[in-house]
Amino acid sequence: MERPAWAPRSIDISVPSVSRIYDYYLGGSHNFEVDREAARKAMGFMPGLPKIMQANRAFMRRAVRYAAGEGITQFLDIGSGIPTFGNVHEVAQAASPGAHVVYVDHDPVAVAHSQAVLDGDEHTDVVAADLRKPREILASPQVERLIDLNRPVALLLVAILHFVEDADDPYSAVAELRDALAPGSLLILTHASYEGIPLPAERAEGTVGVYKDIRNPLIMRSREEIARFFEGYDMVEPGLVSMPRWRPDTAPEDEDPWAFSGFAGVGRTA
């Protein structure tokens, strides 16, 4: 397999990557055949996966605009993935020129592409780090340079927590990040769930199996389990809902049924 110029030498391009699979769902070009093969297998069970990812991105953009409208000018996006059109910094800086954004990802391809996209942007940076190690993220030079933790921050955990197993205690990681944020900060979150998927859970389990086979388990949590991530936050209306129902720009009834898979919400620290 020929290695393209954009692929860092350190990565194994024969192993599927969650961020590159996500890039494929969104119609991106930074993925390999091994990623496309895994994505097609997953779509064999859940053909609406690209629609879910599109709804996820649309929610993220609405939530970022909401945060900017609330006066927040600092954004910390953990599990940011490979840059695609309508990134957090583009949306945030369009709504609030000069907004500071720090992206965080542990995938070398995502980090390398973010660095390329952000080259020359003094208000935006990227950190190679893991959600499961919040202290490393908060102590990074990029966060220390761009994020003032004494002022409100919008923390984005979009489509990332369902890749953190219970054994790695994602609730503690989220709580540690919450405790580092100033009052008035926002948590912007989406999470996969069997709830809302327009087919039997037994069928959707096939997709979960594909991710397990590539050693990136997909943890489908219940609405109640997802709500626990918002402990210590006051929920912003309309609460924890399917993605198209969170402050929609258009009538949710016009959305594809697949877009209602999983949950999205925004919480504010007191």
Side-chain angles (χ1 to χ4, degrees):
M1 183 187 304
E2 184 177 350
R3 180 184 297 271
W6 53 263
R9 302 297 304 179
S10 59
I11 69 167
D12 184 349
I13 61 176
S14 68
V15 177
S17 153
V18 165
S19 63
R20 297 195 307 265
I21 292 171
Y22 188 85
D23 177 69
Y24 174 74
Y25 291 145
L26 290 174
S29 59
H30 294 105
N31 48 76
F32 304 117
E33 180 55 33
V34 67
D35 306 305
R36 296 188 284 273
E37 181 180 356
R40 287 191 290 265
K41 284 182 181 178
M43 290 167 62
F45 297 100
M46 290 177 58
L49 281 167
K51 291 293 184 181
I52 297 174
M53 306 313 164
Q54 291 163 19
N56 188 76
R57 294 286 295 184
F59 159 78
M60 178 274 289
R61 290 191 286 268
R62 295 196 305 276
V64 168
R65 288 196 295 268
Y66 169 80
E70 292 292 295
I72 291 181
T73 59
Q74 306 183 107
F75 297 81
L76 180 59
D77 184 1
I78 302 179
S80 50
I82 294 172
T84 56
F85 177 75
N87 286 331
V88 171
H89 74 283
E90 294 171 334
V91 178
Q93 291 168 1
S96 179
H100 287 189
V101 179
V102 175
Y103 293 111
V104 181
D105 208 287
H106 72 283
D107 186 319
V109 171
V111 172
H113 277 285
S114 297
Q115 290 171 335
V117 168
L118 303 174
D119 186 37
D121 184 343
E122 62 181 18
H123 297 300
T124 312
D125 212 335
V126 59
V127 179
D130 194 312
L131 168 62
R132 293 168 292 189
K133 299 178 180 178
R135 293 181 187 177
E136 292 184 10
I137 295 171
L138 297 171
S140 66
Q142 298 91 330
V143 169
E144 290 187 345
R145 180 175 74 86
L146 288 173
I147 305 294
D148 179 359
L149 293 174
N150 294 311
R151 295 192 297 111
V153 176
L155 169 64
L156 287 91
L157 300 176
V158 175
I160 178 63
L161 285 164
H162 47 236
F163 290 114
V164 184
E165 297 180 84
D166 288 339
D168 290 320
D169 199 1
Y171 295 102
S172 290
V174 173
E176 188 171 343
L177 289 164
R178 178 201 63 212
D179 291 346
L181 301 179
S185 294
L186 298 178
L187 171 61
I188 297 170
L189 180 151
T190 65
H191 198 297
S193 176
Y194 286 121
E195 298 176 44
I197 295 176
L199 48 69
E202 297 75 24
R203 177 76 176 172
E205 284 175 0
T207 289
V208 174
V210 172
Y211 280 91
K212 184 178 180 180
D213 288 344
I214 65 171
R215 299 182 181 179
N216 280 282
L218 178 60
I219 313 302
M220 305 287 270
R221 295 187 172 95
S222 68
R223 185 182 186 281
E224 182 179 359
E225 289 170 324
I226 297 166
R228 283 183 54 202
F229 289 114
F230 286 97
E231 288 183 359
Y233 290 90
D234 295 325
M235 295 302 295
V236 171
E237 289 294 333
L240 186 61
V241 295
S242 58
M243 292 176 288
R245 298 194 185 281
W246 197 90
R247 299 180 178 243
D249 295 327
T250 58
E253 294 74 21
D254 295 336
E255 291 284 351
D256 187 287
W258 283 97
F260 295 87
S261 307
F263 291 97
V266 176
R268 179 183 285 106
T269 56

